[in-house]
Amino acid sequence: MKGPWPEGMSKFVFANGCFWGSEKGIWRLPGGGIFSTAVGYAAGFTPNPTYEEVVTGRTGHAEAVQVIFDPAKIDLVDILRWFWEAHDPTQHMGQGNDIGTQYRSGLYYFDDDQRQLFLASKAAYQDALRAAGIQREVSTEIRAASDFPNGVFYYAEDYHQQYLAKPGSRPYCSAQPQEVPLPPFSKWATPSLRTKFQQRLPDTFWQTHGPAPHSVIRSPDSPIDWTQFSSRTEEL
């Protein structure tokens, strides 16, 4: 779960509710492109927070997931689509019955390409929600990892890591998927973004395996079989 990482890997840090289900949703993505996932505490203002400190709300951290992935096998666009569809980004400071700053929605970028991608996808998902009759505002914070001089991400305790795969774990996930798809990348990407990112998972994948209420805790622990999605996605 900790670096150094193999050459060519990219990093993604996000928060969208209780980190147990958030992490499992990512490690199940197909294609062999997810190299590592870890849960932790992000975007706060105290160093080395513990879970007991974070739950007080006084450290400013969100429960977060760090993803190390191979962009030659799975694109940030695909992981980002899971992020948006797997929770309710309009529920400010909470998911379901989990309320507080630790459950807020957030994206933390490491370069300007990620910043542009996050902002464009946020606008696209806001439009998709409104088209589906959901008029609430997306409250997801988008901030630079460099805003946090002590580090944007701190690893959580071992007992939280890959929690939903542990024998005897409590099958719990507070995420509130809205069952509203993020439109295909080609519909909202700027020309600049199209030169740097590409959608690899086709719409048929999302129609079959897209997030739905309770889908993460009901699904197997192993990654989704890639064979039926192995062909490159054509721009729609």
Side-chain angles (χ1 to χ4, degrees):
M1 294 186 297
K2 297 184 178 180
W5 313 112
E7 185 176 353
M9 295 292 161
S10 293
K11 182 189 295 185
F12 175 45
V13 173
F14 71 92
N16 64 352
C18 175
F19 49 22
W20 293 346
S22 299
E23 182 187 27
K24 180 176 177 178
I26 297 300
W27 88 50
R28 295 197 71 243
L29 291 176
I34 304 300
F35 183 81
S36 172
T37 63
V39 298
Y41 312 115
F45 41 80
T46 64
N48 301 307
T50 66
Y51 181 75
E52 287 72 20
E53 292 170 341
V54 169
V55 298
T56 68
R58 298 174 65 185
T59 73
H61 289 88
E63 293 193 15
V65 179
Q66 176 181 267
V67 186
I68 307 300
F69 67 98
D70 183 351
K73 295 180 179 179
I74 190 168
D75 201 89
L76 182 55
V77 169
D78 302 307
I79 307 173
L80 191 58
R81 180 165 177 173
W82 185 275
F83 163 83
W84 287 116
E85 295 186 20
H87 76 305
D88 179 3
T90 73
Q91 189 178 348
H92 187 57
M93 298 297 179
Q95 281 294 297
N97 293 323
D98 287 344
I99 304 300
T101 186
Q102 79 189 82
Y103 302 112
R104 70 187 185 272
S105 176
L107 292 166
Y108 307 100
Y109 58 85
F110 292 91
D111 55 43
D112 194 60
D113 290 340
Q114 285 193 358
R115 182 188 69 84
Q116 293 182 45
L117 183 68
F118 294 168
L119 289 171
S121 68
K122 179 179 179 179
Y125 202 60
Q126 179 74 79
D127 290 344
L129 290 172
R130 286 176 176 155
I134 300 172
Q135 302 304 316
R136 303 185 300 272
E137 291 292 322
V138 171
S139 63
T140 303
E141 66 177 9
I142 297 177
R143 299 185 62 182
S146 59
D147 286 348
F148 306 93
N150 293 320
V152 67
F153 179 86
Y154 292 93
Y155 287 89
E157 297 80 357
D158 287 347
Y159 71 87
H160 285 300
Q161 304 297 340
Q162 289 86 50
Y163 174 79
L164 291 179
K166 294 181 184 296
S169 64
R170 180 164 63 98
Y172 178 78
C173 177
S174 65
Q176 304 289 304
Q178 298 298 287
E179 298 188 88
V180 174
L182 179 70
F185 181 57
S186 60
K187 303 296 184 184
W188 53 267
T190 64
S192 174
L193 288 175
R194 291 191 188 112
T195 67
K196 298 164 183 172
F197 303 96
Q198 71 174 86
Q199 176 182 324
R200 293 184 182 275
L201 295 178
D203 280 348
T204 51
F205 167 81
W206 296 101
Q207 291 161 8
T208 304
H209 295 289
H214 312 299
S215 63
V216 168
I217 57 176
R218 291 173 179 168
S219 62
D221 292 332
S222 57
I224 297 167
D225 179 24
W226 171 249
T227 54
Q228 60 182 310
F229 308 110
S230 58
S231 60
R232 255 176 108 130
T233 302
E234 296 181 359
E235 287 291 336
L236 302 177

